[in-house]
Amino acid sequence: NFTRKIKNFTYVYKDSKIIFKSETKSFKKIQSINPSKKNFTKFITFDIETRTINNKMIPYCLCIFDGKTSYSFYLSEYNSVDQMVLAAIKLLFTNHKKDDTIYYKYNGYIVYAHNFSRFDSIFVLNLLIKYANENNFYINIIKRDSDLINISIGSLNGFEINFRDSYLLLLGSLRNLAKSFKVEDKSIFPYNFVNNPEIDLEFIGNVPEFTYFSNINIEQYNEYASKFNNKLWNLKLQTIKYCVQDCKVLYRILIKFSNEIFNDLGVTLKFTPTISSLSLRTFLTKFLSSKVEIPIIVGDTFNFIQQSYTGGHVDVYRCHGYDLYHYDVNSLYPTAMIKAMPCGNPKYFEVNNIPLEDFVFETNFNDPLKRPYGFFEVEVTTPDYLEHPVLQTRVLTKDGYRTVAPLGTWTGVYSSTEIYNALDNFGYKFKIKRGFLFDRIVMFEDFVKYFYNMKCNTPKDNPRYFIAKLIMNSLYGKMGQDYKMESHVIVDEDELMDLIQNKDIQVSSVIDLGKVDIKNLNENHSSLFPDIVPSFNSLSLISYLDNNKYLGDNFELLNSFKGSISAASEIVAEARTDMALKIKYLTDNGYIIYYMDTDCFVLNKPLPDWMVSSKELGKLKLECKVNEGVFLAPKVYGLKTEDGKEIIKVKGLSRDTISRDLDFETMKSLLNKDKSL
């Protein structure tokens, strides 16, 4: 019996046979970033107002605010919507010539619209592309899933302007953000009035009736109407006033937000188009210790560990109940982040499907701090009966893959944290096959405590409360981001077909831009199809993954990528383990769990005082007492609270849809067999 080490490889022999072999993998490490020396506030905001005629949304007003001057574009002044939008685009590219050099007024600016990637971009994207190509500007698009992260348009002489979605940076409605940042509130407007095709865009008359307004009460309407004091109401003037006000509100929010994060953290919005990228940059600027080595894991190692990266534990145990208690955990994921995390170079190993308890090479299995630590592929066997299983796996059903916590036997990849919890506290058995061993170190504690203390010691109506909550909760997801980056190009119909038919190309989305007469297509896809001659017919924005770029582990990783799947997966594993231990306490002490969702429980009786705190990290706070609850499926439930409120949650439905079409009694009726909605 002996151990042999040769370079990066380790072999363990027992009775002259290899029973364990491992290979140390070497990955780049995440590096810290220097604080920005100067704040960035070169912002422009814009907003589009639309009317819906015959189920088609038509822009009829577009406004721009550059911090000093507002500009408005109204449809009645133009021959078409395209002319109106192009006039606004041309304003952003205003230039003048001096000594044979062209100077652009808004060079280096970021143009924000709230919900740009999901709404406003629909009306401006193809015209932006048309204008850019007609003027020989380059276009670079960063897109992830359905979100347009950034559109850069510029020229080789140094001009560049960027378009971004402020909603991806500041999650929330503009009205709620205005309250959080204490800027002048959004005004109100009769949205439904302009949807009447009989209403002329130059309408002048009485103030529209109360029924044309949404989300206001009669007192607010009367206050609005009284401002006109029997004067005529001008649709054009009021639309422009409302639209400009939205632009100014968004601009002031961005300025306040930018000043706060720069003064506190030395970070600017220039390099952070989303809240997750801002959170990561904050961590790397202010909190990453030189002693911490966070590996940037890619290739086959990434693919293996990614199998363990699943979401929160959501389950329905009882469908209906009275006199219940709804508790939430204070910052579940930040609580998990203060624990030790995987660090250093991982060590890949293989063993011969041995019981987990026998996996004790150079370790003490009975000492939790000295047990092998990492991500393991294991054969799982549960006890014959568990009311609340705790280990998740993905199963293929007729409706696609689902994440479930089953009973029985299966094989999966898990963090050792979850494996040992299931073994020690719930009676699971494991046989280990292979995996990756890591060192461990506390790496996020200072980050979490800084923002959690800021959140706890700041009034909820203070912008710093909102900022602390956003940044603290957005880091772990960024760490789990896939290193494989999609390309985004503009192609004609022939190129689209070649992309789709290329077996090495995985097309994820196609956005039809219509027939746009342009001079130059993107050059960054010409190497893929050098023989194709553009036909300039119908164009599309294509997102695709070129799998050839990411074969093996020896590819050029983008310098901008700073994720670590091992840290992200361990954070959610620690969070699920925390909730599993709470489940064990509850079931051991006579509690009935009706429903749980990632970081909350609905229970039949109140928790003891030592488990409850509205501020202490990781403890539970009472959200509400429930007179009656209905739990139909994960993320589909209704509550009648003690103070008479109804809380309805249905995954996939908007608040407006729920408030219009659902109430508690309707939800309750769905408990009946064969009843559907």
Side-chain angles (χ1 to χ4, degrees):
N1 302 329
F2 62 94
T3 297
R4 178 77 72 232
K5 293 184 179 180
I6 306 172
K7 293 186 178 180
N8 292 336
F9 296 87
T10 300
Y11 303 89
V12 176
Y13 288 80
K14 185 175 182 180
D15 297 329
S16 301
K17 295 180 180 179
I18 295 177
I19 61 168
F20 173 83
K21 59 183 178 180
S22 70
E23 176 191 2
T24 300
K25 303 278 188 176
S26 182
F27 293 101
K28 290 181 179 180
K29 307 301 185 294
I30 297 177
Q31 302 297 315
S32 59
I33 297 174
N34 293 326
S36 298
K37 295 180 179 179
K38 185 179 179 181
N39 195 13
F40 180 88
T41 55
K42 295 172 73 173
F43 304 140
I44 295 172
T45 54
F46 81 93
D47 190 30
I48 296 175
E49 300 301 329
T50 62
R51 62 192 308 206
T52 303
I53 306 296
N54 297 324
N55 293 320
K56 183 177 181 180
M57 299 184 78
I58 303 168
Y60 74 98
C61 181
L62 191 156
C63 293
I64 293 172
F65 182 63
D66 65 6
K68 294 180 180 178
T69 308
S70 61
Y71 304 89
S72 61
F73 306 85
Y74 199 74
L75 185 56
S76 63
E77 299 171 358
Y78 300 89
N79 293 328
S80 67
V81 171
D82 283 3
Q83 277 194 12
M84 179 185 74
V85 174
L86 275 172
I89 291 172
K90 288 177 181 178
L91 173 75
L92 296 173
F93 290 82
T94 299
N95 64 73
H96 60 275
K97 195 171 185 180
K98 183 179 179 181
D99 299 330
D100 294 327
T101 302
I102 297 176
Y103 296 89
Y104 290 88
K105 181 178 180 181
Y106 295 123
N107 184 23
Y109 275 70
I110 299 175
V111 182
Y112 285 101
H114 208 57
N115 215 13
F116 173 70
S117 66
R118 302 290 180 89
F119 184 77
D120 299 85
S121 65
I122 294 167
F123 305 111
V124 303
L125 185 60
N126 61 336
L127 295 171
L128 261 178
I129 292 168
K130 169 185 169 67
Y131 184 84
N133 281 276
E134 286 181 346
N135 290 275
N136 294 314
F137 293 126
Y138 65 75
I139 306 172
N140 288 325
I141 296 174
I142 300 174
K143 183 173 175 285
R144 188 168 284 276
D145 299 324
S146 58
D147 293 326
L148 280 167
I149 307 297
N150 192 82
I151 300 175
S152 296
I153 298 178
S155 61
L156 297 178
N157 63 8
F159 165 70
E160 185 174 89
I161 189 168
N162 291 277
F163 293 81
R164 293 180 183 172
D165 183 354
S166 53
Y167 184 84
L168 300 179
L169 188 66
L170 292 161
L171 310 178
S173 69
L174 199 56
R175 191 176 299 280
N176 289 337
L177 290 172
K179 292 177 182 177
S180 295
F181 284 87
K182 296 183 178 179
V183 303
E184 187 178 355
D185 200 358
K186 278 172 60 73
S187 55
I188 60 177
F189 187 78
Y191 291 108
N192 299 323
F193 184 70
V194 293
N195 294 338
N196 184 343
E198 303 299 321
I199 297 298
D200 190 272
L201 290 178
E202 296 288 342
F203 172 87
I204 299 175
N206 294 327
V207 176
E209 297 177 358
F210 173 65
T211 54
Y212 288 115
F213 292 79
S214 301
N215 299 321
I216 65 169
N217 56 41
I218 191 65
E219 289 78 14
Q220 291 170 310
Y221 169 76
N222 290 334
E223 181 183 353
Y224 175 82
S226 67
K227 294 177 181 178
F228 295 91
N229 196 23
N230 297 322
K231 295 178 183 177
L232 293 176
W233 189 85
N234 186 311
L235 174 59
K236 179 178 179 180
L237 293 180
Q238 294 306 314
T239 298
I240 292 172
K241 180 181 177 181
Y242 177 78
C243 192
V244 166
Q245 175 66 3
D246 275 4
C247 293
K248 289 181 176 179
V249 166
L250 179 57
Y251 179 86
R252 289 163 186 156
I253 290 169
L254 287 166
I255 290 294
K256 272 199 166 187
F257 185 52
S258 177
N259 289 337
E260 287 280 356
I261 63 171
F262 176 75
N263 293 335
D264 269 6
L265 309 167
V267 177
T268 76
L269 299 185
K270 184 175 183 179
F271 308 106
T272 54
T274 65
I275 186 58
S276 58
S277 62
L278 173 62
S279 182
L280 176 61
R281 195 172 185 89
T282 299
F283 171 70
L284 300 182
T285 300
K286 194 175 176 71
F287 299 99
L288 178 58
S289 168
S290 59
K291 298 177 182 178
V292 174
E293 291 189 343
I294 307 176
I296 303 175
I297 293 174
V298 297
D300 293 339
T301 309
F302 177 97
N303 296 335
F304 181 89
I305 296 175
Q306 191 183 40
Q307 296 177 68
S308 68
Y309 188 35
T310 58
H313 184 169
V314 186
D315 235 324
V316 177
Y317 300 110
R318 304 284 178 98
C319 291
H320 181 239
Y322 297 95
D323 300 325
L324 308 176
Y325 295 80
H326 180 208
Y327 289 94
D328 272 6
V329 179
N330 291 326
S331 301
L332 177 64
Y333 287 127
T335 301
M337 289 170 68
I338 65 176
K339 308 285 182 63
M341 294 284 132
C343 69
N345 288 320
K347 183 185 292 185
Y348 175 74
F349 70 86
E350 294 178 2
V351 291
N352 190 24
N353 207 35
I354 61 174
L356 184 64
E357 295 87 340
D358 293 344
F359 186 53
V360 293
F361 311 111
E362 302 177 6
T363 65
N364 181 350
F365 190 83
N366 294 319
D367 184 345
L369 295 178
K370 294 182 180 179
R371 283 174 165 178
Y373 176 77
F375 299 90
F376 307 153
E377 182 179 36
V378 289
E379 181 186 281
V380 184
T381 301
T382 71
D384 292 336
Y385 175 75
L386 270 178
E387 187 173 359
H388 306 94
V390 295
L391 272 192
Q392 298 182 164
T393 189
R394 287 168 58 79
V395 296
L396 181 62
T397 72
K398 61 182 179 62
D399 298 318
Y401 278 97
R402 289 189 59 203
T403 300
V404 297
L407 296 178
T409 299
W410 70 93
T411 296
V413 177
Y414 298 93
S415 159
S416 58
T417 299
E418 278 196 287
I419 290 172
Y420 297 138
N421 176 58
L423 175 78
D424 295 340
N425 298 307
F426 293 89
Y428 284 68
K429 298 294 182 183
F430 299 92
K431 289 184 178 179
I432 190 163
K433 299 172 179 286
R434 60 186 180 130
F436 288 89
L437 298 169
F438 283 84
D439 295 326
R440 64 180 105 185
I441 194 170
V442 174
M443 59 180 69
F444 300 118
E445 184 177 23
D446 291 343
F447 172 86
V448 169
K449 288 186 175 179
Y450 180 90
F451 288 107
Y452 193 74
N453 288 336
M454 181 191 293
K455 177 187 166 190
C456 289
N457 296 315
T458 305
K460 287 189 176 182
D461 61 354
N462 187 302
R464 289 170 59 81
Y465 176 91
F466 181 77
I467 291 170
K469 185 176 179 180
L470 273 181
I471 293 178
M472 182 177 66
N473 289 315
S474 301
L475 179 59
Y476 85 91
K478 186 68 174 176
M479 283 283 173
Q481 187 172 292
D482 199 327
Y483 67 93
K484 296 186 285 292
M485 301 294 290
E486 288 189 324
S487 298
H488 312 283
V489 296
I490 301 154
V491 297
D492 65 14
E493 291 173 332
D494 292 334
E495 292 172 299
L496 172 60
M497 291 308 300
D498 278 283
L499 276 167
I500 291 173
Q501 293 172 7
N502 188 327
K503 62 182 177 59
D504 295 319
I505 298 294
Q506 183 179 338
V507 176
S508 62
S509 76
V510 179
I511 299 176
D512 183 15
L513 300 176
K515 292 186 177 181
V516 183
D517 184 17
I518 59 177
K519 294 179 181 178
N520 302 299
L521 293 176
N522 294 29
E523 295 181 359
N524 58 350
H525 67 283
S526 59
S527 60
L528 284 171
F529 312 106
D531 300 326
I532 291 179
V533 178
S535 59
F536 303 112
N537 48 15
S538 182
L539 297 178
S540 300
L541 170 61
I542 306 300
S543 300
Y544 70 87
L545 183 67
D546 182 359
N547 293 307
N548 284 326
K549 289 171 60 177
Y550 299 102
L551 294 176
D553 293 341
N554 299 315
F555 49 83
E556 188 63 31
L557 190 66
L558 289 175
N559 289 329
S560 60
F561 182 76
K562 294 184 169 56
S564 187
I565 187 66
S566 55
S569 185
E570 181 63 8
I571 289 167
V572 293
E574 286 280 7
R576 288 192 297 265
T577 298
D578 182 281
M579 294 298 282
L581 290 172
K582 288 180 168 62
I583 288 174
K584 179 171 174 56
Y585 172 84
L586 295 171
T587 53
D588 287 350
N589 288 274
Y591 285 84
I592 296 173
I593 305 172
Y594 281 76
Y595 179 81
M596 67 174 294
D597 185 347
T598 305
D599 65 346
C600 74
F601 293 104
V602 180
L603 307 171
N604 64 320
K605 59 183 180 178
L607 291 170
D609 291 343
W610 65 267
M611 292 185 71
V612 179
S613 170
S614 61
K615 287 192 173 182
E616 192 173 340
L617 194 65
K619 290 203 172 182
L620 294 120
K621 58 181 179 290
L622 181 64
E623 285 295 309
C624 61
K625 293 181 180 179
V626 180
N627 284 349
E628 187 177 7
V630 171
F631 311 98
L632 300 175
K635 297 186 183 296
V636 183
Y637 62 89
L639 306 175
K640 259 189 175 180
T641 66
E642 189 180 51
D643 56 4
K645 294 180 181 177
E646 290 189 0
I647 299 172
I648 309 293
K649 301 287 185 182
V650 180
K651 182 181 180 181
L653 293 188
S654 69
R655 287 185 182 179
D656 289 342
T657 301
I658 291 172
S659 63
R660 184 183 67 243
D661 297 334
L662 283 172
D663 57 25
F664 183 84
E665 291 304 318
T666 304
M667 295 286 282
K668 186 176 177 180
S669 71
L670 295 174
L671 291 170
N672 295 311
K673 185 179 179 181
D674 299 328
K675 178 73 174 179
S676 64
L677 176 64

